[in-house]
Amino acid sequence: MQDDDAAATGAQSPYSYSDLADLAVAAPIVIRAQIKDSAGVESERAPGLAAGHSRFYVEADIVSLIRGSAPLAKRISYLVDLPLDARGKPAKLRKKQPVLIFAQPVAAGGSGSASTSSIRLVAPDAQLAWDAATEAQLRAILTELVKPGAPPRITGIANGFHVPGTLPGEGETQLFLDTANGDPVSLTITTRADGSRRWSAAFGEIVEGAGIPKRNTLAWYRLACGLPRTLPLSKLAGTPAADRQKAASDYAAVLGALGECGRTRTPPPGA
């Protein structure tokens, strides 16, 4: 119902798609909760605390388990680092304040089993303010992540080539990408004699019928946030120098079409 309400009002999350996707990808547990109690942790007892932040020990009551299969207690505890406010003062956590938590279970001491009450955030600041629009966007991302053949994380450029066309100015560049799970992903950029370009991204073995990913989808996020900012020409071994430069120009056009990744925070490991 809350997802429907957010869609009906046209509300947008205050967080960028990429920030939410970074956290969703990294977190095996995603929880909507309400703050029960919190206490500041003295800086000398907060190793690794970033400048301009304060650390809190938080107890929160679970409202709903958005992602995760491990059993959890109704009340959980964790540490979170939050930025200081405009006056340089520690942030305030109100009782019953709604939050989204991105976490992993903590192994109970000695037994090797997962604690049902203590969790560890996937990043020091992986607690976000909850609102219906953010939860709706998050659920859409999580739904995409578990679909068969979901776009994998891009880790680099594997290889590629450029083939000139029959008319001056024509040509086609194909680039094959490295991915975290080994699934094939490729880019095809076709240039016409008038200089116009068309490109597509194929997630899978079948290139025919591939299209341009829509912004704020998992496929767009994987490309916009995962592709290197310049094409490593060494990956086009055996391609003449002039054709390598054309491939680099085609690649730059794809990056321009995708636009900026839109991250506003450092992604957690695994994102």
Side-chain angles (χ1 to χ4, degrees):
M1 180 63 71
Q2 285 152 347
D3 291 6
D4 293 340
D5 291 344
T9 61
Q12 293 187 341
S13 170
Y15 303 102
S16 78
Y17 181 96
S18 297
D19 286 341
L20 290 176
D22 283 343
L23 291 167
V25 167
I29 301 172
V30 182
I31 299 166
R32 178 186 167 188
Q34 285 186 338
I35 302 294
K36 175 62 179 178
D37 202 1
S38 64
V41 178
E42 296 177 356
S43 56
E44 57 267 24
R45 298 178 59 193
L49 181 65
H53 288 70
S54 53
R55 183 165 296 172
F56 293 87
Y57 172 80
V58 179
E59 291 184 348
D61 292 329
I62 294 178
V63 175
S64 61
L65 183 62
I66 298 174
R67 181 187 197 184
S69 56
L72 290 171
K74 292 182 178 180
R75 182 166 298 168
I76 53 175
S77 61
Y78 56 92
L79 296 172
V80 62
D81 294 353
L82 299 176
L84 303 178
D85 65 19
R87 299 175 299 168
K89 302 293 185 181
K92 293 186 181 298
L93 291 173
R94 308 183 315 275
K95 288 189 176 182
K96 295 188 177 181
Q97 177 180 337
V99 293
L100 289 168
I101 301 165
F102 301 82
Q104 55 192 8
V106 176
S111 68
S113 61
S115 168
T116 58
S117 59
S118 295
I119 58 173
R120 180 183 293 114
L121 302 189
V122 295
D125 60 344
Q127 170 193 283
L128 304 181
W130 176 90
D131 63 74
T134 297
E135 181 173 338
Q137 180 72 88
L138 174 60
R139 287 184 179 275
I141 293 169
L142 291 171
T143 297
E144 281 199 90
L145 279 172
V146 299
K147 285 183 177 178
R153 180 166 63 90
I154 306 300
T155 59
I157 306 292
N159 54 69
F161 58 87
H162 176 86
V163 178
T166 55
L167 297 177
E170 285 185 341
E172 182 175 279
T173 296
Q174 286 198 352
L175 300 171
F176 303 94
L177 310 183
D178 285 321
T179 62
N181 64 359
D183 285 355
V185 178
S186 61
L187 302 174
T188 301
I189 309 100
T190 302
T191 307
R192 295 176 176 152
D194 62 4
S196 61
R197 288 185 176 95
R198 295 181 61 183
W199 71 279
S200 61
F203 292 85
E205 297 285 358
I206 301 175
V207 176
E208 186 177 354
I212 298 175
K214 292 183 179 179
R215 188 175 180 86
N216 291 351
T217 61
L218 188 60
W220 169 85
Y221 159 77
R222 293 301 199 189
L223 294 172
C225 299
L227 289 172
R229 294 300 90 189
T230 57
L231 178 65
L233 298 182
S234 61
K235 299 296 185 178
L236 279 68
T239 302
D243 290 341
R244 291 191 191 189
Q245 292 302 321
K246 290 178 181 178
S249 178
D250 287 343
Y251 183 75
V254 171
L255 292 183
L258 288 167
E260 295 295 326
C261 168
R263 283 183 172 128
T264 65
R265 57 187 303 285
T266 301

